[in-house]
Amino acid sequence: MKETRSTKRKREKHGKPQNMASASSQISKSSSNFLDKMRARLSGGHFRMINEKLYTCTGDEALDYFKEDPSLFDMYHTGYQEQMSHWPEQPVNIIIQWLKARSSSLVVADFGCGDARLAKNVKNKVFSFDLVSNDPSVIACDMSNTPLDASSIDVAVFCLSLMGTNFPSYLEEAHRVLKPSGWLLIAEVKSRLDPNTGGADPKMFSKSISDLGFTSTLKDFSNKMFVLLYFQKKEKETSTRKGIEWPELKPCLYKRR
């Protein structure tokens, strides 16, 4: 049966708004996707800028930097979490499991705690330190100068947080607050301890920490993204700890994706 001109006109009349609505919806989605991509690109650029700043300044300079504009801290951690989402395994989760396998009576200091995930996932008493506090449980401070008493902590953790150019002073602070035989756990980006890619010699890095007053108990290089180093504070001081040669830890700068 042939379609009459009247029927055809009615069909075209009713069909156009639907087609136009569909086209408008597609344009709207395309525009939204474009804006989302631009926001992500802008956010990523801010993260890389802040990240480079933190790796190339001292701890007290970083503290002042975030005091001037605390919103930069949130911007940094949003970008940090996005970067971490691409890692198949998170070092903080390994440290959490390490603590859960031991007594919950161990008192922990988390240097550079970020979102305080460690404290939220263990039963231990955890002192969480970072440059900015958006959580009542986090203490804002320079990690080379915490409010902890000497020899008051059982475990000190640095999970991807040895970022300042004065990182040795953070480790000196960890030594001060740790009890004799207390644990020092360090998770670090693997490339920073890979001489083949311009990183520090891990043996030299471990030796410097040992000269500070620790004994190396385990080095775990099994993960392709990060290294885990375990130390224990020596029972007695065997040196004055002066004149320690610290290797330079190169900045971990993220490439634009």
Side-chain angles (χ1 to χ4, degrees):
M1 181 181 293
K2 291 185 178 180
E3 184 179 35
T4 65
R5 290 182 180 178
S6 176
T7 304
K8 185 176 182 180
R9 279 196 297 269
K10 287 181 180 179
R11 178 176 58 79
E12 290 176 346
K13 182 179 179 180
H14 291 291
K16 283 182 180 179
Q18 185 177 358
N19 293 338
M20 290 175 65
S22 177
S24 177
S25 176
Q26 289 178 357
I27 292 172
S28 178
K29 287 181 180 178
S30 176
S31 176
S32 178
N33 289 338
F34 174 76
L35 289 173
D36 287 343
K37 288 180 180 178
M38 289 302 294
R39 290 190 190 100
R41 187 172 295 178
L42 183 63
S43 177
H46 285 154
F47 163 72
R48 288 188 293 273
M49 177 190 71
I50 300 168
N51 182 70
E52 182 172 355
K53 171 73 175 179
L54 295 179
Y55 272 110
T56 55
C57 71
T58 63
D60 56 346
E61 288 171 342
L63 190 64
D64 291 339
Y65 179 66
F66 285 129
K67 278 182 179 178
E68 290 178 8
D69 189 351
S71 68
L72 293 175
F73 187 77
D74 294 330
M75 192 179 297
Y76 168 76
H77 275 283
T78 297
Y80 173 82
Q81 293 299 336
E82 197 281 329
Q83 290 291 334
M84 289 296 100
S85 69
H86 299 285
W87 286 28
E89 191 170 24
Q90 304 293 317
V92 66
N93 291 335
I94 295 177
I95 294 172
I96 288 170
Q97 292 306 314
W98 186 92
L99 284 169
K100 285 184 174 180
R102 287 159 177 80
S103 173
S104 60
S105 66
L106 295 176
V107 181
V108 182
D110 186 4
F111 290 79
C113 65
D115 58 3
R117 185 183 302 183
L118 181 63
K120 294 172 183 175
N121 286 276
V122 296
K123 295 179 180 179
N124 307 65
K125 169 64 179 176
V126 179
F127 292 95
S128 301
F129 301 107
D130 217 318
L131 295 167
V132 174
S133 173
N134 292 326
D135 185 314
S137 68
V138 176
I139 301 168
C141 69
D142 177 357
M143 292 190 297
S144 66
N145 184 25
T146 70
L148 295 173
D149 292 332
S151 302
S152 61
I153 298 297
D154 297 296
V155 184
V157 174
F158 290 88
C159 187
L160 307 179
S161 55
L162 290 176
M163 299 182 71
T165 54
N166 63 322
F167 74 87
S169 65
Y170 306 160
L171 295 169
E172 289 171 2
E173 177 68 354
H175 184 273
R176 182 186 74 82
V177 302
L178 276 169
K179 299 174 183 177
S181 298
W183 288 91
L184 170 65
L185 275 55
I186 299 174
E188 191 50 80
V189 178
K190 200 164 192 175
S191 61
R192 299 188 82 198
L193 293 172
D194 184 356
N196 296 319
T197 59
D201 184 340
K203 291 182 180 178
M204 183 178 177
F205 181 66
S206 292
K207 182 181 183 303
S208 299
I209 295 175
S210 297
D211 290 344
L212 184 58
F214 291 95
T215 299
S216 175
T217 62
L218 177 65
K219 301 182 184 73
D220 184 356
F221 288 82
S222 61
N223 193 283
K224 69 176 184 178
M225 304 301 291
F226 57 85
V227 175
L228 280 164
L229 305 175
Y230 300 78
F231 299 87
Q232 273 191 288
K233 183 177 177 179
K234 294 175 181 177
E235 286 281 351
K236 295 181 180 180
E237 297 294 330
T238 56
S239 67
T240 59
R241 305 203 318 265
K242 292 183 178 179
I244 298 174
E245 287 189 35
W246 290 96
E248 181 182 354
L249 292 181
K250 71 173 186 176
C252 179
L253 305 180
Y254 293 95
K255 297 179 180 178
R256 179 175 171 179
R257 291 184 178 274

